[in-house]
Amino acid sequence: MTSRLLRLPASGRLLVATDIQGNLRDFRRMLELFEESPSDNVLVFTGDLIHGPDEETERQWPDYLGTPYKDESPEVVRQFLEARDRYPGRVHCLLGNHEHAHVGGPRTAKFHMDEAQVLEERMGPGPTAALRTLVNQLPVIAVAPNGAVLLHAAPAARLSGPKDLENIKLEGYAYMGIDEFFHVPVLGATLWSRMASAEQARAFLSALGGSIAIYGHDVVREGYERVGDEQLCVSTSFALLDKDKVYVELDLAHTYSTVHELRDGVELKKLYG
């Protein structure tokens, strides 16, 4: 049975990246950073590896989307699967709302009316089957003994404990509106919430034995934003200029009590520094 909770090790370095959305250059940069690191390091993408800009957007690139790039989602998926196989147990991706659209989640429509359908038509039957198999296996949340909890969106979901994650059902929401899906227990907020109150974040983290939540989903123009003591929203790739893109690197043997302990240039690093 696939576990929706990924438990990370208690030693080594943890690299965290958010929202690649088909940007092969940024994906490969994260992989290079991981490969330059010691052999006990772990790399986690917090979802939304796929679904980049359409051809019209590529031709008339708006400033708000940051540094221009071409959507290479099929190759991102292929290279992720290759890296996962090459480094067993060390390269991971969490479920994002864009991945969920391929296995029964609400259809995303950022650049196409149905981004999942468009990508699957590009990929063809074999790669599409591999993508769906991958997505069905993805964990929803990752936890580390050092207090870090990783997820796709803000930690607003109500949890009583890890067992709530094992009851998650991925299929059956394809034609549900986002507002309606948002109220689906656990999964709705975990994949779509752009904000969480301090009270919600503390309750969420307490249920998982964590102290800080690291996530993406929303765009932070400066690369990251601390929200209270418990939350760190990070933008590694999508909609940012290269100079502002940030990833996180944590010491898995060091306990982090608040997000204020994460320092520029140490835990909070420029993707192209």
Side-chain angles (χ1 to χ4, degrees):
M1 179 179 176
T2 297
S3 176
R4 301 300 174 192
L5 180 66
L6 171 64
R7 294 192 178 275
L8 298 169
S11 63
R13 307 292 294 182
L14 170 63
L15 280 69
V16 184
T18 69
D19 306 302
I20 296 296
Q21 291 207 215
N23 190 322
L24 182 60
R25 175 172 170 258
D26 289 355
F27 171 83
R28 293 182 67 168
R29 174 62 177 158
M30 281 305 308
L31 194 57
E32 287 169 4
L33 291 164
F34 164 75
E35 291 175 333
E36 291 170 358
S37 304
S39 60
D40 59 349
N41 281 11
V42 178
L43 171 61
V44 178
F45 295 94
T46 65
D48 285 7
L49 279 178
I50 52 177
H51 298 170
D54 57 11
E55 292 181 356
E56 182 178 351
T57 302
E58 291 172 10
R59 286 193 299 268
Q60 299 181 337
W61 193 266
D63 290 342
Y64 68 83
L65 286 181
T67 298
Y69 73 99
K70 179 181 177 64
D71 178 21
E72 297 183 81
S73 292
E75 185 63 10
V76 170
V77 172
R78 190 192 71 78
Q79 292 196 21
F80 172 79
L81 289 170
E82 184 181 83
R84 189 187 64 168
D85 291 343
R86 189 161 66 247
Y87 304 106
R90 297 178 56 210
V91 176
H92 305 278
C93 183
L94 305 182
L95 184 71
N97 57 303
H98 284 268
E99 284 86 14
H100 189 210
H102 289 270
V103 295
R107 294 297 176 122
T108 57
K110 189 186 296 291
F111 295 109
H112 302 276
M113 288 299 294
D114 188 333
E115 291 180 307
Q117 178 181 343
V118 170
L119 178 55
E120 291 180 6
E121 288 173 353
R122 286 180 63 191
M123 296 180 75
T128 291
L131 171 62
R132 290 178 179 171
T133 297
L134 166 65
V135 175
N136 274 310
Q137 296 171 345
L138 295 179
V140 175
I141 295 171
V143 297
N146 68 355
V149 175
L150 315 181
L151 67 161
H152 178 63
R158 293 184 179 180
L159 285 179
S160 61
K163 67 180 184 300
D164 291 353
L165 299 174
E166 307 312 327
N167 297 323
I168 284 175
K169 180 183 69 136
L170 297 186
E171 68 278 1
Y173 313 106
Y175 300 103
M176 186 178 285
I178 303 304
D179 289 343
E180 182 182 1
F181 178 73
F182 191 83
H183 296 287
V184 170
V186 183
L187 198 58
T190 301
L191 298 187
W192 285 92
S193 181
R194 296 191 184 279
M195 61 179 295
S197 68
E199 181 180 8
Q200 288 174 317
R202 284 194 291 267
F204 180 92
L205 290 165
S206 177
L208 296 170
S211 52
I212 62 172
I214 301 174
Y215 57 93
H217 185 57
D218 208 359
V219 175
V220 181
R221 298 295 174 191
E222 298 78 17
Y224 71 88
E225 179 183 11
R226 297 182 183 89
V227 182
D229 293 333
E230 303 86 9
Q231 302 177 62
L232 181 75
C233 185
V234 179
S235 289
T236 301
S237 180
F238 182 71
L240 261 67
L241 295 170
D242 283 347
K243 67 180 182 65
D244 297 321
K245 296 173 180 178
V246 170
Y247 72 98
V248 180
E249 183 174 332
L250 301 181
D251 180 351
L252 284 164
H254 174 80
T255 299
Y256 298 91
S257 299
T258 78
V259 294
H260 301 289
E261 297 174 31
L262 308 184
R263 299 158 292 175
D264 286 328
V266 181
E267 289 84 15
L268 304 171
K269 295 189 171 184
K270 295 288 189 180
L271 186 63
Y272 298 104

